[in-house]
Amino acid sequence: MTRGFAPILPGEFHKMGSFRRPRPRFMSSPVLSDLPRFQATRQALQLSSSSAWNSVQTAVINVFKGGGLQSNELYALNENIRQLLKSELGSFITDYFQNQLLAKGLFFVEEKIKLCEGENRIEVLAEVWDHFFTETLPTLQAIFYPVQGQELTIRQISLLGFRDLVLLKVKLGDLLLLAQSKLPSSIVQMLLILQPGGTPGSGPR
């Protein structure tokens, strides 16, 4: 039982900022200003049709559904990502993970929480966070280990995604009010990691 803890309300999570990068602005004609969007769409189509990427995509969704990696599968996935990084699609991998894979995976997480009602929902949220933080997140980091040098790491993108696509959609503030002083330790950990600043080395900064 945790007493005396001042919960972080959903509105305060926004102070952390967003992982969405601003779309570049162009001073040229509308036709030229549409080129980045056209190129991104073309890259998305090429990436989704890549057998190497399809294996990564299947593995990631399976992880979000509670599954694990098969023997030697991690090595094969790392090699597939290295192969993609050497292609013209390499710079698009992080964006596709953020906007497609992560969003789809966290939808399953959100739905699991929403199936429960009342005070039971805070307990389910605690279980979901435990699994996400100790199982899903490390596995995602391992799969995308070859992706380095990005503005945000896979870990930071995933944690921000959990905040924006799960916590803010399940009405965290209402859940905290229901729980009062009976916050599970996992929820306290989650709030500390996802609050502005986070725990050193643990959450987004």
Side-chain angles (χ1 to χ4, degrees):
M1 181 179 297
T2 305
R3 297 181 181 278
F5 180 78
I8 308 293
L9 295 179
E12 299 181 15
F13 282 126
H14 290 296
K15 296 178 183 177
M16 294 168 55
S18 172
F19 55 36
R20 297 185 183 279
R21 300 175 187 171
R23 187 178 298 278
R25 296 179 180 274
F26 292 82
M27 299 299 293
S28 52
S29 68
V31 174
L32 289 179
S33 66
D34 285 340
L35 282 178
R37 186 180 304 174
F38 170 78
Q39 291 170 347
T41 302
R42 181 175 62 85
Q43 287 177 314
L45 290 173
Q46 289 179 321
L47 194 58
S48 62
S49 65
S50 163
S51 59
W53 178 253
N54 284 338
S55 68
V56 174
Q57 184 170 251
T58 300
V60 168
I61 296 303
N62 183 53
V63 167
F64 272 107
K65 289 182 176 180
L69 299 181
Q70 302 298 316
S71 177
N72 297 323
E73 186 177 5
L74 179 59
Y75 174 81
L77 293 171
N78 285 169
E79 286 301 305
N80 285 341
I81 290 177
R82 288 189 180 96
Q83 174 186 332
L84 290 167
L85 286 172
K86 294 177 182 177
S87 72
E88 63 174 356
L89 305 177
S91 61
F92 196 65
I93 289 177
T94 302
D95 287 337
Y96 198 91
F97 168 76
Q98 172 186 310
N99 298 321
Q100 300 293 328
L101 282 186
L102 187 63
K104 185 175 182 179
L106 289 175
F107 174 77
F108 296 125
V109 175
E110 177 199 354
E111 288 299 298
K112 182 176 181 179
I113 298 170
K114 284 185 173 181
L115 287 175
C116 300
E117 300 292 340
E119 292 187 27
N120 289 334
R121 186 174 284 189
I122 198 75
E123 297 296 335
V124 173
L125 175 58
E127 294 175 6
V128 164
W129 167 256
D130 271 340
H131 183 80
F132 176 80
F133 191 68
T134 62
E135 300 291 337
T136 305
L137 185 58
T139 304
L140 293 176
Q141 288 180 263
I143 291 173
F144 289 92
Y145 176 76
V147 180
Q148 303 289 339
Q150 301 296 317
E151 182 179 348
L152 291 176
T153 65
I154 293 297
R155 179 186 183 85
Q156 289 171 317
I157 291 172
S158 300
L159 287 170
L160 288 169
F162 190 93
R163 180 200 69 179
D164 293 348
L165 302 178
V166 177
L167 294 187
L168 297 182
K169 289 189 175 182
V170 298
K171 299 181 179 178
L172 177 62
D174 293 344
L175 295 182
L176 294 178
L177 289 175
L178 283 174
Q180 296 294 332
S181 62
K182 300 182 295 183
L183 284 179
S185 59
S186 296
I187 299 297
V188 176
Q189 179 205 44
M190 178 191 74
L191 293 173
L192 288 172
I193 289 174
L194 297 182
Q195 70 179 323
T199 301
S202 297
R205 290 191 289 274

